[in-house]
Amino acid sequence: MRLIEQVWFYRHQAKWLIVPLLAPLSLVFWLLSVLRRALFTLGVKSSVKVSCPVVIVGNIGVGGNGKTPLVLFLVEQLSQQGIKVGVLSRGYGGQAPHYPYLLNEQTSAEQAGDEPVLIYQRTKVPVIVGSDRVAAALQLIAQGCQLIISDDGLQHYRLQRDYEILVVDGKRQFGNGLLLPAGPLRETTARLNSVDRIVVNGDKPLNVSTVKPINTMLLTATRVVNVKTGEQQMLAEFIAQHPRVNAMAGIGDPPRFFQYLCELGFVLDKSQGFIDHQAYNQRLLAPLISANYPLLMTEKDAVKCTAFAESSWWYLPVDAQFIGDGGQQLVTDIKQLLQK
């Protein structure tokens, strides 16, 4: 794990040097953020309202926190009720031939980024990537979409939104509570009071107060999927056959994935964490390849490994589940947007 992340989230002793050094830059970041949002609020910079509802699934910090599983949940739930949903994303890490770029069956993670490819492969709904979210939204509408879900983009104020969902990693939450670069936040925690709903990924209570409704989301797994062949196997059966595995994760918090594997009953022989959105090749993963143990990874990693995967490589898809009726509350709120 990078030293700066240990300072942000785990109170590493280097904070006594690094935080005072970076604090002036955080002040500048805060001033620019406040000014930028004020320009949109006052109408100095124009925002665009598109012809269908836009739902933002975002966060105020850096790193993974569960946005993509929540997007998948919403897309699947709304699609089952006959609503044509489209997804837009920045497409971080991808190099598409043009933007906005509409994903298809041949689109690779190198072109569109790992998360958009994951969403498309799981849901088969229209997914578009591009930094100009207004242009991407208009193209989704041209595809016949009735509702747009933006994977991230909470701070992209040029695109007007009808509903904001702020996702919080229940484990790491807001770190040291400071803005970039002294801390992990892009906006202060005061932003929690201006969104429509907060979803906490994990069963730990928030360490800050808010007046907005909070739902608790848990990520659960029931099966594993072979990266090379697509074969599926029930998780309990797989663990019985392969109790010891090697593991890798290129996500916001790799130790969380490894801890979850241990909670499921796996014993990790080797584990390797990579930076979020890490690009992979056979040579990079060679130390994790074993004749004795399968290699287990996240679904986000798998979409970048299909071209060179071996038959012993598997990924663990996770699904969002809600404590109580929180998930249904979200779906009901969003469906009501279509009636306005």
Side-chain angles (χ1 to χ4, degrees):
M1 183 180 295
R2 295 180 302 170
L3 177 60
I4 191 64
E5 292 181 346
Q6 295 184 47
V7 169
W8 288 347
F9 297 110
Y10 301 105
R11 301 182 181 182
H12 191 281
Q13 290 302 306
K15 68 182 181 179
W16 301 112
L17 173 64
I18 292 177
V19 170
L21 188 66
L22 297 179
L25 296 178
S26 293
L27 177 60
V28 173
F29 184 91
W30 175 77
L31 290 171
L32 292 175
S33 299
V34 170
L35 176 62
R36 180 174 175 273
R37 190 173 185 191
L39 291 176
F40 281 104
T41 302
L42 297 173
V44 178
K45 296 187 74 171
S46 61
S47 59
V48 178
K49 171 71 174 175
V50 297
S51 60
C52 77
V54 174
V55 176
I56 304 289
V57 178
N59 63 355
I60 61 170
V62 299
N65 53 22
K67 294 189 304 294
T68 300
L70 178 55
V71 169
L72 291 170
F73 172 85
L74 294 174
V75 170
E76 290 165 356
Q77 292 291 316
L78 293 164
S79 297
Q80 288 172 10
Q81 299 185 41
I83 299 170
K84 186 164 185 182
V85 184
V87 177
L88 64 84
S89 171
R90 173 66 179 83
Y92 183 85
Q95 293 292 329
H98 57 83
Y99 292 102
Y101 180 72
L102 179 66
L103 276 65
N104 56 54
E105 294 290 347
Q106 286 73 47
T107 301
S108 66
E110 289 74 20
Q111 292 174 309
D114 45 25
E115 289 162 348
V117 171
L118 187 163
I119 293 168
Y120 178 77
Q121 290 182 354
R122 271 259 212 137
T123 67
K124 304 303 181 185
V125 303
V127 178
I128 288 182
V129 298
S131 59
D132 186 341
R133 292 178 184 267
V134 172
L138 293 174
Q139 191 164 338
L140 285 174
I141 293 170
Q143 293 291 317
C145 294
Q146 300 169 287
L147 185 141
I148 294 171
I149 296 178
S150 175
D151 184 10
D152 211 356
L154 193 66
Q155 292 79 33
H156 193 283
Y157 293 112
R158 183 166 170 262
L159 176 62
Q160 290 187 27
R161 65 286 314 269
D162 300 270
Y163 198 87
E164 292 182 331
I165 305 169
L166 192 152
V167 186
V168 180
D169 180 343
K171 177 185 175 184
R172 300 196 298 177
Q173 300 210 11
F174 310 106
N176 60 13
L178 300 176
L179 293 175
L180 289 166
L185 301 185
R186 293 180 282 189
E187 295 184 273
T188 69
T189 54
R191 185 72 166 88
L192 274 68
N193 291 317
S194 62
V195 300
D196 294 283
R197 192 170 289 273
I198 298 166
V199 172
V200 178
N201 176 15
D203 58 1
K204 292 186 178 180
L206 281 183
N207 55 22
V208 299
S209 60
T210 175
V211 299
K212 294 298 180 175
I214 300 173
N215 297 120
T216 300
M217 176 181 75
L218 302 176
L219 301 183
T220 61
T222 59
R223 68 193 193 280
V224 293
V225 182
N226 190 276
V227 180
K228 183 175 183 177
T229 67
E231 173 195 353
Q232 297 193 27
Q233 189 171 355
M234 295 306 295
L235 183 59
E237 180 184 348
F238 187 86
I239 295 174
Q241 295 176 0
H242 306 285
R244 186 178 291 271
V245 297
N246 293 334
M248 56 172 273
I251 56 177
D253 187 12
R256 183 171 186 163
F257 177 67
F258 302 142
Q259 179 183 348
Y260 182 53
L261 293 181
C262 294
E263 291 171 355
L264 289 172
F266 286 106
V267 176
L268 305 187
D269 188 67
K270 298 178 183 177
S271 61
Q272 176 66 56
F274 298 94
I275 61 171
D276 202 7
H277 307 290
Q278 171 74 51
Y280 298 113
N281 55 50
Q282 187 88 14
R283 180 178 58 82
L284 182 64
L285 301 182
L288 293 168
I289 300 173
S290 167
N292 299 317
Y293 309 120
L295 175 59
L296 199 54
M297 63 187 72
T298 73
E299 188 172 7
K300 192 165 99 167
D301 295 312
V303 299
K304 295 177 287 188
C305 295
T306 52
F308 53 87
E310 298 191 4
S311 58
S312 61
W313 296 11
W314 299 76
Y315 70 86
L316 187 78
V318 294
D319 298 297
Q321 293 187 351
F322 287 82
I323 294 178
D325 62 353
Q328 189 54 50
Q329 290 173 353
L330 276 174
V331 173
T332 299
D333 284 356
I334 293 170
K335 285 175 61 180
Q336 289 176 349
L337 300 174
L338 296 168
Q339 300 170 6
K340 294 181 178 180

